Amino acid sequence: ELRKTDTIDVMDGMGANVQVHTKGGEVVRVQPRENDNINEEWIHDKTRFAYDGLKRQRLTQPLVRGPGGAWDTSASNWRSAFKQIAA
């Protein structure tokens, strides 16, 4: 069963009213909440789809460019990534 929580959009400088739907502690949908003074019944696409980044598009290790500019994730760790940045 979906749990619905009324809140304010933190990605929108206007403070659009939204409703966050969760299931088992995981965000599954963000929908607009009607407020005629602020956002009527609209939200930005960024707001509607940003929840996806909470579970699917997270960095689990640093991405470091190897020789030739290709991404090398095979031996990357945070310590070596910061050393490369500092160099």
Side-chain angles (χ1 to χ4, degrees), residues 4-20:
K4 300 174 183 176
T5 305
D6 292 342
T7 188
I8 303 296
D9 178 12
V10 297
M11 299 224 226
D12 179 2
M14 296 291 292
N17 291 248
V18 295
Q19 192 172 64
V20 177

Side-chain angles (χ1 to χ4, degrees), residues 9-68:
D9 178 12
V10 297
M11 299 224 226
D12 179 2
M14 296 291 292
N17 291 248
V18 295
Q19 192 172 64
V20 177
H21 298 194
T22 57
K23 184 175 184 178
E26 189 172 290
V27 177
V28 294
R29 177 172 53 202
V30 177
Q31 291 187 320
R33 189 165 44 106
E34 191 170 333
N35 183 328
D36 290 334
N37 295 324
I38 298 176
N39 61 303
E40 296 177 350
E41 57 190 35
W42 301 96
I43 57 175
H44 292 102
D45 288 343
K46 179 192 244 183
T47 300
R48 189 178 306 274
F49 299 110
Y51 76 91
D52 181 55
L54 296 173
K55 63 181 178 180
R56 293 189 188 105
Q57 299 175 357
R58 304 295 282 181
L59 287 176
T60 57
Q61 64 184 26
L63 299 174
V64 179
R65 288 195 189 270

